[in-house]
Amino acid sequence: RGEAGPSGAALFKLHCAGCHPDGGNTVNLRRTLKAADRAAYGIRTAADVAAFIRNPGVGMPSFTAGMIPPCEAKKIGRYVVETFR
Ligand code: HEM
């Protein structure tokens, strides 16, 4: 789609995969990135994922817009919902 910058996959690998390898969760095993687990917490859309990273729960660092700008958060969100079903 001609978007500039790194892909959602590359951004996920850089910022998220340390704790969420293959969409899992090595810190809190109950909260993987799979659709069923996310849905239990109302995290369904790419926008929901992008919002969650700003203000996550216990054990996950919050990512400010300085660290991950909105356009990158959107790409990560899209990657998560398209990849982890
Ligand atoms: C939860 C995404 C980085 C640790 C979650 C959830 C999402 C998410 C969508 C909710 C899962 C659910 O409800 O089943 C992301 C993304 C990241 C990222 C997109 C990168 C931008 C990290 C990192 C860590 C981490 C680096 C560890 C240092 C956790 C933990 C939870 C969680 C512990 C559970 C939080 C809670 O119980 O409220 N993550 N994550 N995440 N993530 Fe991440």
Side-chain angles (χ1 to χ4, degrees), residues 12 15-16 19-20 25 27-28 30-34 37-38 41 43 49 52-53 56-61 63 68 76 80:
F12 183 86
H15 296 292
C16 322
C19 297
H20 296 292
N25 190 328
V27 180
N28 180 342
R30 296 179 172 203
R31 295 197 67 175
T32 77
L33 305 191
K34 302 275 155 104
D37 282 359
R38 280 187 283 108
Y41 296 91
I43 306 166
V49 174
F52 184 81
I53 69 170
V58 176
M60 176 167 155
F63 294 89
I68 299 181
I76 293 172
V80 167

Side-chain angles (χ1 to χ4, degrees), residues 60-81:
M60 176 167 155
S62 58
F63 294 89
T64 65
M67 302 162 72
I68 299 181
C71 58
E72 295 192 356
K74 257 184 234 167
K75 286 185 191 173
I76 293 172
R78 257 186 263 140
Y79 175 79
V80 167
V81 300

